Structure formats: structure tokens, C-alpha cells
Amino acid sequence: MQRIALVNMKGGVAKTTLAVNLADALSRRHGRSVLVVDTDPQFNATQCLVSGPKYVEQIGAGAATIVDIFDDSARPIVNPVRGHATKEPAAYADISVWTIREKVVDRQGALDLVAGSLDLHRLDMAPGQGREFRLQRFLNAVEEKNKYDYAIIDTPPTPSAWMTAALLASNYYIIPVRPEPLSRTGVDLLKGVVDRTVANYGCDLRCLGVVLTVAQESERVFQDAVNFFDTNEVWRGKRFAKALPRRTEIARAQGEQRLILDLSDEAAKSALAVITNEFLERVQNE
Ligand SMILES: Nc1ncnc2c1ncn2[C@@H]1O[C@H](COP(=O)(O)OP(=O)(O)OP(=O)(O)O)[C@@H](O)[C@H]1O
Ligand SMILES: [Mg+2]
């Protein structure tokens, strides 16, 4: 199982959009089984895959979320019949994921989700407690079941324990970048965070590439971004050839859990297909 985090210290660059659509295309177009992991307390990736009522229903039924992976403390529960008790933290192997789409042999791969949760904010993720390793260990347990080809990890836009946990759990990272003048600051900041994480934890983490997103290729800022990434000595060779085009419909459809492959926009679908193919090539060649 290859584990890929979508990261950028800048907000709103389409990390989540690329994460869920890449996962969807790998499952629907390439028959690969994918686990999406939502480590962002904003839980937008979860909202792109699960409707509000369904989310409430699942949580009400006690379904596990990312909080169960990070929370290793016993939680007090008050039972009206039995009085006070404690709920022991779940063993990794017992934390079940949410099924978004079942695998259909020779047609589509499974698409599952480690759902995000606003409750992540309530967890004390102070460094030094070892919680930043828990996602890595959870994915190790998942890997033993041999179900998935890829884990795609969506991350929050801020340097945080969740971001560290996502990086430690990954072997690759992809940087989605909006073609804007300020985007360079974001990638340089990110590079610093990744380099520090690798140095501090000694993990093996490689950059799979930079994907330009929300792109209007005719605009000057797009060409400027292309030139920057193609000539900068750190980033040369990292840019994916195809950008994800800007489309209001992509944003609008997310609210109804419709992804790019569900739209009638052939150019957007084709761009996603080219990006997905390049993703598969890069993972294979690395
Ligand atoms: N190709 C696109 N065309 C138009 N709008 C887009 C496109 N991709 C993403 N968006 C919209 O841009 C906004 C930011 O996208 P997204 O949430 O994926 O970014 P993000 O990097 O995950 O943000 P955050 O840092 O808050 O997690 C969203 O409203 C999304 O619907
Ligand atoms: Mg996001």
C-alpha cells in the first residue's frame, strides 16, 4: 500500500479537492482500492464523500473517526443503567473505516474513508506523547489486511501535530498549488516543514510532485507559475504536466457529494484522467 499525503501550508489550494478526486479516479477508472484519510479538523474530505445526514447517522451509530486513531486515552462514559464506566481506547485493528464504495471485481476498486471529525480540536496533541505516530501505526495495521493499493491522506493547511502525523504516515507527498504570485511562499514554507520532519524523525518521505490546481491556463499567473516550477532548482521536474482547471461546477458539486467524474465537463474529466495517469507513473517510477 502506497501512502500519499496532499500537503500545502497555504489554505484553499485544492488539497481536499485533489485528494478525493484522485482517490475516486483511481477507484473508478483504474480498479484500485483506496482508503481516504481525513486528518483535517475541518473534515472537508469527509463532507465531499458523505452527506450531512449520513454523517450524523454514522456518528450516532458509533462509527469510528480519525479521533479514535489519535486518542489513546481511556474515556469516561456515563451509562444510565450501569453508572460510570470507562471506554478503553480501541486497538488499531478494531477501528473500522467507512465504506464509500464497494469493490466490484474487474470494474472498480473499493473506496473507503477514515472520517474526519471536528472533535479533533478537543484532543490534546502536545508533542512528546507519541500521538503523532498513531496514524502511521494504524496504517501499518491496515496494510496487513492487504485491502488497499493506496492511502490518500488529506491534511490541514497549518503546521500541526496532525500534519506531522500525516507526514510520518506517508511515503510520498503531493503539493497542490494554486497558480498565484504568493504560492511560492507556501511551497517554500512547506519544504521547510517537510525537511524538518524528515530530519527530526528520520522518516523516508519523497515528493511525488506539484499539481497546479484551480488553473486558468490562458492567464498570465498560470504561465508565471509554470515558469517558476520548471526553472527553480528545487522544483524542476516536479510539476505534473496537466493542471486541474478552474470550474465553478467542481466547487458546487462537492456540496452534493458529486465529484469530477460525475460532471458532464469533459475537459475537467480529461484533466483528472491525465493527472491520475501521471500519478500512477510517478509512483511506479519512484
Ligand atoms: N478546480 C476548481 N475550480 C473551482 N473551484 C475549486 C476547484 N478546486 C477546488 N475549488 C474550490 O476551492 C476551495 C478550496 O478547495 P479545497 O477545499 O479543495 O482546498 P484545500 O486546500 O483543501 O483548503 P483547506 O486549506 O481549507 O483545507 C473550495 O471551495 C473548492 O470547492
Ligand atoms: Mg482541505
Side-chain angles (χ1 to χ4, degrees), residues 154-169:
D154 189 28
T155 67
T158 40
S160 56
W162 306 301
M163 159 72 83
T164 306
L167 291 176
L168 293 179

Side-chain angles (χ1 to χ4, degrees), residues 77-142:
I77 46 172
V78 180
N79 184 302
V81 182
R82 278 174 253 135
H84 291 272
T86 42
K87 182 183 174 209
E88 291 303 319
Y92 294 123
D94 297 336
I95 298 176
S96 47
V97 301
W98 301 20
T99 303
I100 305 299
R101 181 186 302 143
E102 303 271 3
K103 179 183 172 90
V104 180
V105 175
D106 293 335
R107 258 208 27 233
Q108 63 180 27
L111 183 64
D112 290 350
L113 170 72
V114 172
S117 168
L118 261 181
D119 285 345
L120 257 193
H121 277 305
R122 285 209 243 120
L123 267 192
D124 172 17
M125 289 285 282
Q129 299 179 352
R131 277 188 175 154
E132 64 269 40
F133 288 106
R134 292 185 60 86
L135 181 58
Q136 182 191 68
R137 293 188 188 130
F138 170 74
L139 290 182
N140 291 347
V142 166

Side-chain angles (χ1 to χ4, degrees), residues 15 60 65 71 83 126 129 150 159 161 177-178 186:
K15 293 180 288 297
T65 69
D71 192 1
Q129 299 179 352
Y150 302 101
V177 172
R178 247 185 210 244

Side-chain angles (χ1 to χ4, degrees), residues 10-18 40 42 44 154-155 157 178 214 244-248 250-251 254:
K10 203 160 156 35
V13 297
K15 293 180 288 297
T16 300
T17 301
L18 190 61
D40 185 354
Q42 299 179 97
N44 291 155
D154 189 28
T155 67
R178 247 185 210 244
V214 203
L244 194 63
R246 183 196 306 155
R247 296 284 195 275
T248 317
I250 293 178
Q254 280 173 349

